Amino acid sequence: MEKQATDRYSDEIDFKEVLKRFSELNEARLKRTVATLAERQQDFLHLLPLLFHINHPLLPGYVSRYTPAGLFEYEPDKQTLNKAKAIAKSISYRRSLRRKRPILALYVMGSPGTVAYTESSDLDIWVCHDPKLDSHHVDLLQQKSTGIEAWAENFGLEAHIFLINPETFRQGHSANLSTESSGSAQHYLLLEEFYRTGILLAGQKPMWWLVPPDRENEYDDYVDELKRKRFIHAKNTIDLGGIGNIPAEEFFGAALWQLYKGIDSPYKSILKLLLIEAYASEFPQIDLLSHHFKQRVYAGEKRLNDIDPYILMLEKVTAYLEARGERQRLELVRRCFYFKTNERLSIKKISHSGWRLDLLHDLVARWGWRHTDLILMDTRDTWKVQRVAEERRILYEALIASYRFLSDFARQQSSLVMIDEFELTILGRKLYTTFERKAGKIEVLNRGITSSLHEPQISLHEVIGRDHQSSWLVYSGMVTRETMDNEIPLKRSRSAVALIGWCYFNGIINANTIIGVYTQGSDLDVKEFYALQAYLSKKFPIAILGSSPIEDYEEAARLTHHSLFVNFAAHPLDVLNLPRHDVASSSADALSYSTGQDNLVMSLDMVLATSWHEILTHRYAGERCLMDGLCEYLSWYPPSQDTRPAPINVYAAKAHRGTVVTHRIEQLFEDIVECYYGGEYPLETRYILAIGSGYCVVYFEEDKPRYDLLGSYSELQKYLAAPQVEFSPVLFDRHALKHSPLPQLFARNKEGFVQLFYLPKGNRVDVYILDERGSLFYRNSSYFDERSLISQYSRFFEQVLNRVNFMMQEGDTSATTRGLEFYRINPQHGFSLARQAPEFSHAAQHYFSLQVLVDNDEDGQTVFTVYCEGKEFSTLEYGDQLYQSVVDHILFLRKSGQSYPIHITDIGFSRSVLGEEGVGKVQTLHFLNYKRRIEDRLNRSMTDK
């Protein structure tokens, strides 16, 4: 039955008449295309078929004589040959009937021949070639096409040539989303656009022309029947396939692609994007424009305007948006359509118009546009910030609406669509990073909206608010203090750097802009702002805001450009207490400057550009500003990713010792980066530097930089004396604690070793002990001689380290103590260290055994038990008299009767003191703290006696 129906229908079609209608329409659209172009551009279009028809060394695109050439049923006319001879006088063309012709057809598609085509529009050219060409010859043909594309640039044309193998094309294709492809497979939508917009330049006609509109769904069967019955000759037509049923995933891929392009060139993509959205809303019964187009041709329609592909597209999208009641997006579509035509109706009278202008005048009249609306559209290149910002908002909302529709469609059709969540995710990243507002982000307003936002003059005003904080405003033109209340600022910001950055990245200012500056608190003059603009243009080329490849969004954002701006627009009150003299030496520490230990870094602005093409700014002020900026910068470089941060660029205001500050910050950043990314120190290292009269500790926690501020040296000591869960090395900044041995001690520190350092000071001694986890124990005590000091600590460590190791093993950990080291500190040589040997045997001969056991009773109260040469003393028995009783016994045992200091030789803890979790966490520091506490009580009792 189906076969018989096909036969009967084929007999009813006058194929010669159908071909005649399409050919006449094709010729008329080609004439419109040529008429739109400038004379030299017309030459390109005239010569294009000849370039693929022959190989000649002097013609554009020539590769070799082996490059496939010969265009089906094409013979150049005299005019074309004359144009070719103007390029290559030696051309001598001879017609050959037997010559192979591997180029089957040549088409242009898209906007040519439509109301939307202008001399600045792209030319998408399809070169359909013989499927039998091998890969080598296809490569030669591609090289030729690339050469012709380059030649087109001489005419001011942007040509894109695509090689089409009809057989593989009919089978469909798929490509990943990139700057050069259209994302997830959209074979049928591309073919649908080709059929309604394609113009045949030369070669085989599309088989699609001969398939009646109501036979689209049985395209292949119908074509087979036509060939079998010989209604057509196969060699006269090119078969690229039918478009009866478009798969759901095509709408997903096509919308992704148009959304991606729409971010940077919104007016070019909105109309096509909404057409795809309209198609998708009708799925699976889609009313295709190509179907409409073919129906009208078969019905005998000859008026080009009524079957103009762009008019058909506009009508389709208009009906879709009106049905949804989306007035704002409809008005945006009309603007996009109007801008696409590149006409200015407000200055072109109807009496001077051609077919394009007649059509446009009719359209805008139907839209209800007034002359003032046309003036606004036609002056788009002069739109300023407020108008561009509003248009940007509308564009963003339109793109977001389409993105949400796309996401919903994909979810609704999940059984039919192979959803590429990755493509959807990276598109969402680009969409939101381009348009999303967030604190500190510079909004780039002008993405394909207007030609320029440049202002020849701007005025910068500083205003002091009720909170005594300054803010900055920028105005267009020269606006004084007296007139500023009558003007609307272009932008306001807490940061002068962020405000100038906003002006620079939006193209509002350049080197030629005249800047007026009106300050209230800061001591900046206009020269500083000119210098800032010049610095930004050097460190942040405006090209970084250009169209970005989608591949940039496949990974987490990373920094591409960065700078720190120190003390820019600092308030004079911030510097009143700073020293009035400068230190010429480059080694001066700007973070703890001169005798007053002043921190010269009072404010910090950071400008960052990312691989996601965002411009971010941060402003910090006060004593934490530098460290906040440092941590923000390092947070972009998680150490786990093994990427070393680039050296930081620092720009410091000259008025506040800029050279000293710049050198110090660059040096600090370099040292910290070397610490955490250089490979010499583990990530657990704590980096300590002096800031003002206090200190700062930098460290990493879960791959993120952190810092703690310590107000004094005593707070630093307490910090270093805290127990550690694991070994945590300490590295001191090159300027920190130059008059203390601590930097040298911690430089010698190593995991698993207990190290004692002592510095004799007359009859007193400073004892520093770094335990196996890097915790610091400090004690200043009486000093008899070096041998006695080493002996008493040697005996104590001999007992305690065994206990520590035993407890650590009980806690199921391998972090045991592996060694004991003694060092004498020599203050005359930069706190150099001299290794000393422990003296266990000497200690055993000259000290009483004094062991302390620490326990808890049933009420949780601490119970001390002291064993002195075999005699037991306990708080259970002696109570508050424990320490005095022990002292009395020791003095009794001393034959000399001397009251020299008492030293504990061993300490032990019960499980109830440590707790079950504490058994594996105990470290030598805990024993040392108890030793000091108990010894101080014993020696105080002996002194009081």
Side-chain angles (χ1 to χ4, degrees):
M1 289 294 294
E2 183 62 31
K3 183 176 180 180
Q4 293 176 0
T6 303
D7 289 345
R8 288 196 302 271
Y9 195 88
S10 300
D11 293 338
E12 296 171 4
I13 299 296
D14 185 344
F15 292 107
K16 289 185 178 179
E17 178 61 26
V18 170
L19 286 174
K20 179 183 176 183
R21 291 175 188 173
F22 275 105
S23 297
E24 288 176 348
L25 172 62
N26 187 85
E27 187 64 25
R29 289 171 62 181
L30 181 56
K31 287 181 179 179
R32 281 190 168 184
T33 302
V34 173
T36 305
L37 297 173
E39 185 175 351
R40 293 187 69 247
Q41 294 175 326
Q42 293 176 11
D43 291 346
F44 172 81
L45 213 55
H46 282 306
L47 286 169
L48 190 60
L50 179 63
L51 297 180
F52 284 98
H53 189 59
I54 63 174
N55 285 318
H56 192 285
L58 298 181
L59 286 180
Y62 178 79
V63 178
S64 78
R65 66 192 185 95
Y66 301 107
T67 303
L71 184 52
F72 177 80
E73 287 192 350
Y74 171 76
E75 295 300 332
D77 56 24
K78 186 176 181 180
Q79 181 186 13
T80 301
L81 288 174
N82 287 337
K83 291 180 182 297
K85 288 179 180 180
I87 299 173
K89 293 181 179 180
S90 61
I91 286 180
S92 177
Y93 179 79
R94 292 182 181 180
R95 183 176 180 179
S96 174
L97 296 177
R98 296 182 180 180
R99 183 180 176 189
K100 291 183 179 180
R101 303 205 173 185
I103 310 302
L104 305 180
L106 201 62
Y107 292 87
V108 292
M109 67 161 289
S111 63
T114 74
V115 67
Y117 187 66
T118 70
E119 61 183 58
S120 61
S121 298
D122 297 352
L123 276 177
D124 286 346
I125 302 162
W126 284 26
V127 178
C128 302
H129 63 79
D130 189 339
K132 295 179 181 179
L133 288 181
D134 59 31
S135 59
H136 171 67
H137 286 93
V138 172
D139 182 61
L140 291 175
L141 191 57
Q142 181 60 63
Q143 293 180 49
K144 183 171 192 172
S145 300
T146 302
I148 293 173
E149 289 175 343
W151 179 62
E153 296 177 5
N154 298 326
F155 300 92
L157 288 171
E158 185 177 345
H160 305 281
I161 300 177
F162 304 91
L163 302 185
I164 305 295
N165 179 332
E167 287 187 2
T168 58
F169 188 86
R170 282 198 304 272
Q171 297 168 7
H173 67 277
S174 178
N176 293 326
L177 187 62
S178 72
T179 54
E180 299 301 328
S181 72
S182 50
S184 297
Q186 50 173 297
H187 168 79
Y188 291 102
L189 283 172
L190 180 63
L191 186 58
E192 192 269 340
E193 182 184 2
F194 170 77
Y195 281 150
R196 60 183 158 85
T197 67
I199 299 175
L200 176 64
L201 298 179
Q204 296 174 346
K205 299 176 176 61
M207 178 70 77
W208 181 81
W209 287 0
L210 301 176
V211 179
D214 57 352
R215 294 298 176 119
E216 286 283 353
N217 290 333
E218 47 185 305
Y219 177 92
D220 290 336
D221 290 340
Y222 190 87
V223 169
D224 287 344
E225 184 68 18
L226 290 180
K227 291 178 180 179
R228 189 176 67 83
K229 293 291 186 179
R230 297 189 178 181
F231 286 104
I232 58 171
H233 198 296
K235 75 172 185 178
N236 294 327
T237 57
I238 188 167
D239 185 8
L240 297 177
I243 47 172
N245 296 305
I246 300 179
E249 60 262 23
E250 288 232 356
F251 300 107
F252 178 80
L256 276 176
W257 176 237
Q258 291 300 331
L259 267 170
Y260 170 72
K261 293 201 299 183
I263 292 171
D264 293 313
S265 301
Y267 292 126
K268 292 183 179 181
S269 298
I270 290 281
L271 188 57
K272 287 186 177 181
L273 177 61
L274 284 169
L275 174 63
I276 297 168
E277 190 177 317
Y279 278 169
S281 70
E282 298 171 344
F283 184 84
Q285 302 299 321
I286 307 163
D287 190 13
L288 297 172
L289 290 182
S290 57
H291 189 73
H292 270 294
F293 170 72
K294 184 185 281 189
Q295 280 181 324
R296 295 189 186 188
V297 175
Y298 268 73
E301 179 64 71
K302 295 183 178 180
R303 292 172 296 184
L304 292 182
N305 289 357
D306 289 343
I307 50 177
D308 184 298
Y310 266 79
I311 296 296
L312 294 178
M313 181 162 49
L314 178 64
E315 291 174 349
K316 176 84 173 181
V317 171
T318 297
Y320 168 71
L321 293 176
E322 285 180 338
R324 293 170 62 92
E326 294 193 47
R327 187 70 190 176
Q328 180 171 280
R329 281 212 291 176
L330 177 57
E331 287 301 320
L332 175 60
V333 162
R334 289 170 174 171
R335 290 198 296 277
C336 292
F337 186 90
Y338 184 78
F339 294 148
K340 174 67 176 173
T341 67
N342 200 30
E343 295 290 355
R344 297 188 179 187
L345 298 186
S346 66
I347 59 176
K348 292 185 178 181
K349 298 181 180 179
I350 296 180
S351 59
H352 297 152
S353 62
W355 73 270
R356 295 179 73 250
L357 294 178
D358 290 340
L359 182 55
L360 284 174
H361 275 294
D362 181 57
L363 280 174
V364 299
R366 278 187 277 161
W367 296 345
W369 281 14
R370 298 164 298 180
H371 188 67
T372 53
D373 297 319
L374 291 175
I375 292 175
L376 178 62
M377 297 300 103
D378 294 343
T379 56
R380 177 164 67 106
D381 285 345
T382 65
W383 286 359
K384 295 304 179 185
V385 170
Q386 286 85 359
R387 180 69 185 88
V388 169
E390 174 62 15
E391 188 76 351
R392 180 183 183 275
R393 179 190 65 80
I394 294 171
L395 287 167
Y396 172 56
E397 291 176 358
L399 291 172
I400 285 293
S402 290
Y403 178 77
R404 289 171 179 161
F405 178 90
L406 167 66
S407 303
D408 292 341
F409 176 79
R411 282 189 286 269
Q412 292 166 6
Q413 305 298 333
S414 59
S415 61
L416 303 174
V417 180
M418 296 293 291
I419 301 176
D420 193 330
E421 293 288 355
F422 178 67
E423 287 189 351
L424 195 60
T425 297
I426 61 177
L427 175 66
R429 286 177 180 175
K430 180 170 174 60
L431 191 62
Y432 282 101
T433 55
T434 301
F435 292 104
E436 182 188 25
R437 289 178 175 173
K438 60 184 178 184
K441 177 180 174 179
I442 290 181
E443 287 187 273
V444 180
L445 302 176
N446 188 23
R447 290 188 181 273
I449 298 176
T450 186
S451 59
S452 173
L453 289 176
H454 178 252
E455 295 283 350
Q457 294 182 327
I458 63 167
S459 301
L460 296 168
H461 286 261
E462 183 184 21
V463 178
I464 305 299
R466 294 180 179 178
D467 57 358
H468 303 293
Q469 297 294 317
S470 65
S471 61
W472 291 83
L473 297 84
V474 59
Y475 295 86
S476 171
M478 281 297 123
V479 177
T480 64
R481 285 286 181 198
E482 293 71 28
T483 60
M484 63 182 292
D485 291 340
N486 300 322
E487 301 291 336
I488 299 176
L490 301 178
K491 181 75 173 175
R492 65 177 70 233
S493 175
R494 285 281 189 183
S495 164
V497 171
L499 192 62
I500 290 295
W502 180 84
C503 292
Y504 168 71
F505 288 110
N506 278 289
I508 294 171
I509 62 172
N510 59 28
N512 299 318
T513 303
I514 298 173
I515 303 175
V517 177
Y518 300 85
T519 62
Q520 279 193 324
S522 68
D523 54 0
L524 288 175
D525 58 24
V526 70
K527 292 181 181 179
E528 290 280 7
F529 286 97
Y530 282 123
L532 177 58
Q533 187 276 331
Y535 182 87
L536 286 172
S537 64
K538 178 181 178 181
K539 296 295 184 180
F540 297 85
I542 207 67
I544 65 177
L545 297 177
S547 180
S548 55
I550 200 67
E551 290 79 11
D552 285 350
Y553 300 87
E554 293 180 1
E555 300 176 348
R558 65 184 187 283
L559 291 187
T560 58
H561 301 75
H562 54 271
S563 283
L564 296 181
F565 300 85
V566 183
N567 297 339
F568 196 89
H571 197 286
L573 290 177
D574 295 332
V575 295
L576 283 179
N577 296 322
L578 292 183
R580 294 304 173 189
H581 63 280
D582 285 323
V583 177
S585 172
S586 61
S587 64
D589 186 3
L591 306 184
S592 188
Y593 194 77
S594 189
T595 56
Q597 294 181 303
D598 298 291
N599 179 6
L600 300 187
V601 181
M602 297 160 286
S603 69
L604 189 82
D605 288 273
M606 181 177 285
V607 179
L608 308 172
T610 78
S611 58
W612 286 7
H613 296 254
E614 288 185 297
I615 305 297
L616 307 174
T617 65
H618 303 277
R619 178 168 177 79
Y620 309 102
E623 64 176 355
R624 292 179 173 267
C625 68
L626 178 60
M627 302 316 301
D628 286 339
L630 170 70
C631 288
E632 171 62 30
Y633 177 67
L634 293 181
S635 68
W636 288 89
Y637 300 92
S640 62
Q641 295 183 5
D642 198 26
T643 300
R644 185 186 178 99
I648 195 72
N649 301 311
V650 181
Y651 181 97
K654 295 179 180 178
H656 307 306
R657 298 168 181 82
T659 302
V660 174
V661 171
T662 298
H663 176 77
R664 178 65 179 104
I665 293 177
E666 290 176 344
Q667 183 186 75
L668 174 64
F669 274 54
E670 180 182 345
D671 290 345
I672 292 180
V673 166
E674 183 62 31
C675 171
Y676 292 107
Y677 302 86
E680 183 179 353
Y681 302 96
L683 187 59
E684 296 76 25
T685 301
R686 293 167 286 169
Y687 188 96
I688 298 178
L689 65 147
I691 291 188
S693 58
Y695 299 87
C696 177
V697 182
V698 180
Y699 57 96
F700 272 82
E701 186 176 79
E702 297 180 350
D703 230 19
K704 292 290 186 181
R706 302 280 189 263
Y707 73 91
D708 294 324
L709 290 181
L710 307 172
S712 64
Y713 180 76
S714 61
E715 287 188 27
L716 174 63
Q717 280 190 309
K718 291 180 182 178
Y719 174 85
L720 294 174
Q724 300 294 316
V725 175
E726 58 185 359
F727 179 70
S728 178
V730 172
L731 178 63
F732 282 89
D733 180 77
R734 66 177 71 191
H735 291 281
L737 295 177
K738 288 186 175 182
H739 304 293
S740 167
L742 285 182
Q744 281 70 27
L745 309 190
F746 277 97
R748 190 64 65 96
N749 191 208
K750 49 191 175 183
E751 184 178 5
F753 283 78
V754 173
Q755 299 163 305
L756 183 146
F757 308 85
Y758 60 95
L759 176 59
K761 296 181 177 179
N763 61 352
R764 307 289 296 176
V765 63
D766 286 335
V767 174
Y768 303 87
I769 300 174
L770 297 177
D771 76 359
E772 64 279 359
R773 293 183 190 169
S775 293
L776 172 68
F777 173 83
Y778 169 76
R779 187 177 187 185
N780 177 267
S781 60
S782 59
Y783 179 66
F784 180 70
D785 61 28
E786 186 173 79
R787 191 174 188 184
S788 299
L789 176 73
I790 294 177
S791 295
Q792 66 99 352
Y793 274 104
S794 294
R795 188 175 186 189
F796 176 78
F797 287 132
E798 183 179 20
Q799 299 299 322
V800 166
L801 296 187
N802 288 329
R803 290 183 181 277
V804 172
N805 287 340
F806 177 76
M807 290 182 176
M808 294 299 289
Q809 290 164 1
E810 270 196 292
D812 192 26
T813 177
S814 59
T816 56
T817 304
R818 299 193 296 271
L820 175 65
E821 296 176 348
F822 288 81
Y823 295 91
R824 177 187 176 92
I825 303 173
N826 187 348
Q828 282 75 38
H829 298 90
F831 300 107
S832 62
L833 305 176
R835 180 77 177 268
Q836 307 293 314
E839 298 198 18
F840 297 111
S841 59
H842 182 80
Q845 296 173 7
H846 292 79
Y847 285 92
F848 294 119
S849 172
L850 190 61
Q851 183 186 42
V852 179
L853 299 181
V854 186
D855 197 1
N856 287 335
D857 62 18
E858 58 274 10
D859 296 325
Q861 300 296 315
T862 302
V863 176
F864 292 101
T865 303
V866 181
Y867 294 92
C868 180
E869 291 296 303
K871 183 173 177 60
E872 177 180 331
F873 299 85
S874 173
T875 51
L876 297 176
E877 179 182 357
Y878 292 93
D880 293 341
Q881 297 301 310
L882 171 68
Y883 297 102
Q884 189 60 59
S885 300
V886 172
V887 168
D888 289 342
H889 183 65
I890 290 174
L891 292 178
F892 171 77
L893 294 176
R894 286 180 179 175
K895 297 179 181 179
S896 64
Q898 293 180 343
S899 58
Y900 49 83
I902 299 172
H903 299 291
I904 294 172
T905 59
D906 186 18
I907 293 179
F909 300 116
S910 69
R911 282 186 175 273
S912 63
V913 173
L914 297 173
E916 289 302 320
E917 293 184 0
V919 171
K921 296 179 181 179
V922 70
Q923 60 188 99
T924 303
L925 176 71
H926 296 112
F927 293 89
L928 289 168
N929 285 334
Y930 268 102
K931 171 181 168 65
R932 175 174 53 193
R933 172 182 169 186
I934 298 170
E935 285 181 353
D936 286 347
R937 289 289 299 272
L938 290 171
N939 289 316
R940 192 161 51 247
S941 296
M942 184 170 60
T943 303
D944 293 342
K945 183 176 179 67

